[in-house]
Amino acid sequence: MRRRTFFMTMAGGLFTLVAGVGTWLTVAPPDLLKLGDSYAAKIVCSSLFVAGRNASEVLADDVQAPGHPLLRFIRVSVDEQRKTVTARMFGFAAPGHAIFRDGLGCSNVTDGAFAAFPGNRSLRRRSLEPDTAQPWPEGGALVADAGVQALIEDEGRAGPGMRGLVVVRNGRIIAERYAPGFYASTPLLGWSMTKTVTAALIGLRVRDGQMALDASDLLPQWRNDERSRITLSDLLGMQSGLGFNESYGSVTDATRMLFLENDMAAYAASKTLDAAPGTQFSYSSGTTVVLSRLWMNSFASPREALTFPRASLFRPLGMSSAILEPDAHGTFVGSSYMYATARDWARFALFLLQDGAWNNEQILPADYVRQMRTATSASNGRFGSGQVWMKTGPEAQGFPSDAYWMRGHDGQSILLVPSMQLAVVRLGLTPRELGYDDSVLHRDIVAALSKPQP
């Protein structure tokens, strides 16, 4: 009898504990769980409705396999009709929501905004890359270089998790490769390569006389303190002095901004100074989201700002697949969220190689791209003045002096060498822990194309 009473008491205590934990996870889940669910919802939503991939495969391959162990407990539900995704830890806790809007991709939203979202009435059909005998970018054909193609076919050079590789020389694609299940028509996330696109959008507003690189006193909330001294150039060169923790893997400034804040720019702009403006390099996704807010504020209406990237950059360059995604507040997440096919990323790279010109039309100010790839003093030569990366010292060996890079999380990169009219676009899912170094691929391609032709 005593044993039965003991086990009944234990069972009752265990039930109470489980019920209490369940209630806690439902009513007040920790930020880490909310972060994981919002991340999963966003990645699955964009990969499904923007890139056309399978939701279950994306959850397993893109979210759970390379991520925090807790992510393996996430389950997602997809509403194909409304085009929404909800992710829940353990199948019930801390729901994160993402909604798809045609032309704008996916955004994380709150419970209330998710419930009120009406869904998508119709979807615009985008034209595919023309399949003609004309070479890219006018058509879809390659001007093949067998030697470079052999280099990118090498698994060690391409790296684990490679999904798309495109090599451009003298305005033509000379080599191209895709992983199984990925195609020339598959839009892929550039992560922080999006930052360079944001710099180009600002260049367009500079061209239009709506922004100035030396402008300061940029935001009302900065006017009464030292942040009023921050210039647009300081932000573009990652030397604003604003504090921001760019670490990943837990709840930090970067992950909180991207997955827990509805108004990402307001969150990033609320940070105080860690250093005097212009004196210290600090890589920050928050800085680039502030830049997005600033160029969008240069328009009279939000609608004008939301249509600007497609009308003024993507359409002129023929980047029909490109989707720049906003946050719930309506500010483009210019630090991280642009999807485009590898070929359309290559179009943007060619645009930069041509100093911001396309089809003999100067779209960016004539010296703007040169300014973008001019190293800042605060970064000791490692970072350019327009959201691009440089190499200095021994790591620069094997590269022409004018080489620079666009770089993004999980192994996204574009090498640009203006003197060779060379771009190497590499997209994939390659976490840093795998130890892959794309410098081997880049150096070998540069060396192969630098040899005298027989």
Side-chain angles (χ1 to χ4, degrees):
M1 187 68 177
R2 290 179 180 177
R3 181 176 296 179
R4 181 181 176 187
T5 302
F6 172 76
F7 282 118
M8 289 180 65
T9 301
M10 288 292 292
L14 181 60
F15 175 81
T16 301
L17 176 62
V18 170
V21 170
T23 300
W24 169 57
L25 291 177
T26 302
V27 176
D31 282 348
L32 184 61
L33 300 191
K34 293 190 287 185
L35 171 66
D37 282 337
S38 293
Y39 168 70
K42 169 65 182 63
I43 295 299
V44 171
C45 182
S46 295
S47 298
L48 172 62
F49 297 121
V50 175
R53 297 175 58 205
N54 177 274
S56 297
E57 290 179 2
V58 172
L59 178 64
D61 297 342
D62 294 42
V63 175
Q64 294 175 331
H68 193 286
L70 273 175
L71 297 174
R72 298 177 184 178
F73 295 98
I74 289 177
R75 301 293 178 266
V76 298
S77 58
V78 175
D79 188 327
E80 293 276 0
Q81 185 173 3
R82 293 176 70 217
K83 294 193 166 39
T84 64
V85 175
T86 296
R88 294 180 176 87
M89 192 72 67
F90 311 118
F92 71 91
H97 309 290
I99 61 172
F100 171 82
R101 290 169 292 179
D102 190 31
L104 295 173
C106 292
S107 302
N108 286 122
V109 295
T110 62
D111 292 346
F114 179 76
F117 180 60
N120 293 266
R121 293 183 178 87
S122 62
L123 296 180
R124 179 171 64 251
R125 300 296 179 190
R126 295 184 180 86
S127 60
L128 298 176
E129 187 81 36
D131 185 16
T132 70
Q134 289 190 20
W136 179 94
E138 296 85 5
L142 276 64
V143 180
D145 184 306
V148 175
Q149 186 67 41
L151 290 175
I152 70 171
E153 293 291 342
D154 179 78
E155 298 296 338
R157 291 184 176 94
M162 183 282 303
R163 290 176 171 177
L165 255 173
V166 174
V167 182
V168 175
R169 180 83 190 282
N170 295 327
R172 303 301 186 195
I173 294 177
I174 62 170
E176 185 175 33
R177 178 188 174 191
Y178 296 95
F182 295 87
Y183 311 94
S185 60
T186 306
L188 295 167
L189 177 58
W191 284 114
S192 286
M193 295 201 306
T194 309
K195 291 177 169 69
T196 315
V197 178
T198 296
L201 291 169
I202 288 172
L204 296 178
R205 297 307 282 159
V206 171
R207 176 203 65 186
D208 295 339
Q210 300 301 312
M211 300 184 82
L213 296 178
D214 60 355
S216 58
D217 199 18
L218 299 171
L219 290 170
Q221 59 266 48
W222 291 355
R223 284 176 185 159
N224 296 322
D225 58 49
E226 287 295 295
R227 294 176 297 178
S228 65
R229 295 171 49 208
I230 297 172
T231 66
L232 187 61
S233 287
D234 288 332
L235 292 166
L236 283 165
M238 294 292 185
Q239 53 186 28
S240 68
L242 290 171
F244 197 82
N245 183 344
E246 188 69 16
S247 301
Y248 292 84
S250 61
V251 183
T252 64
D253 289 340
T255 56
R256 176 175 290 281
M257 180 189 76
L258 289 173
F259 303 110
L260 296 178
E261 295 290 332
N262 287 326
D263 188 343
M264 298 187 195
Y267 175 76
S270 71
K271 297 298 180 180
T272 56
L273 290 177
D274 281 349
T279 65
Q280 181 175 295
F281 172 74
S282 180
Y283 184 78
S284 161
S285 291
T287 292
T288 315
V289 175
V290 170
L291 285 168
S292 288
R293 172 63 56 81
L294 291 172
W295 77 251
M296 294 184 78
N297 282 350
S298 73
F299 285 91
S301 73
R303 181 176 179 79
E304 284 183 273
L306 286 170
T307 59
F308 180 69
R310 182 168 301 280
S312 297
L313 184 63
F314 302 153
R315 190 175 295 135
L317 270 55
M319 297 173 62
S320 59
S321 71
I323 294 287
L324 190 58
E325 297 176 316
D327 65 9
H329 185 78
T331 302
F332 284 118
V333 188
S335 64
S336 313
Y337 290 160
M338 188 174 118
Y339 279 79
T341 63
R343 287 188 167 202
D344 277 353
W345 281 109
R347 284 177 180 270
F348 182 73
L350 179 58
F351 176 62
L352 296 182
L353 290 176
Q354 297 173 161
D355 290 326
W358 193 263
N359 289 336
N360 297 315
E361 178 187 356
Q362 190 64 46
I363 296 176
L364 287 174
D367 62 346
Y368 189 77
V369 175
R370 179 193 57 77
Q371 174 78 11
M372 286 174 62
R373 56 188 176 88
T374 299
T376 65
S377 57
S379 70
N380 293 321
R382 291 178 295 147
F383 198 75
S385 300
Q387 308 276 287
V388 296
W389 286 96
M390 326 293 287
K391 286 187 184 293
T392 60
E395 68 175 2
Q397 292 181 5
F399 292 105
S401 60
D402 61 343
Y404 64 105
W405 284 259
M406 297 168 57
R407 292 204 172 276
H409 180 61
D410 278 348
Q412 323 313 316
S413 67
I414 300 178
L415 162 67
L416 298 115
V417 186
S419 60
M420 297 181 66
Q421 283 297 293
L422 170 67
V424 181
V425 178
R426 194 265 186 196
L427 297 154
L429 180 63
T430 310
R432 184 178 298 176
E433 308 86 73
L434 297 179
Y436 171 67
D437 182 2
D438 61 11
S439 292
V440 176
L441 171 71
H442 293 164
R443 283 193 178 95
D444 287 351
I445 291 176
V446 167
L449 293 174
S450 299
K451 292 179 181 178
Q453 296 299 310

